[in-house]
Amino acid sequence: MIEEIVKDIYRLTIPLPRNPLQAVNSYVLRGRDRSLVIDTGMRRKECMEAMVTGLDSLGITLGD
């Protein structure tokens, strides 16, 4: 799930399967040339897939 908090600042909900927390909120600050991701989730395949999917929908790559 992606929610725009204010212009160019987004919250991505990153699921945490089999974890009591259930999800972590990641924040993306989108800039013209670069973007910043705050709290990328845990080092798990499911987290990476959700992060990449969310960033793709914002037109951002991990290299940005």
Side-chain angles (χ1 to χ4, degrees):
M1 180 176 116
I2 299 172
E3 176 186 4
E4 187 170 23
I5 305 297
V6 295
K7 183 173 175 19
D8 292 327
I9 298 178
Y10 300 87
R11 179 174 55 205
L12 280 64
T13 302
I14 306 298
L16 299 174
R18 300 173 304 281
N19 186 303
L21 292 176
Q22 297 183 354
V24 64
N25 290 318
S26 293
Y27 294 89
V28 178
L29 287 67
R30 183 168 57 181
R32 286 187 210 143
D33 301 321
R34 296 180 0 173
S35 296
L36 174 67
V37 177
I38 300 169
D39 197 351
T40 58
M42 295 183 178
R43 187 176 180 160
R44 297 177 62 171
K45 180 181 175 185
E46 300 92 347
C47 292
M48 178 60 88
E49 289 171 351
M51 177 62 65
V52 169
T53 299
L55 292 175
D56 283 347
S57 70
L58 294 172
I60 299 171
T61 67
L62 287 175
D64 293 338

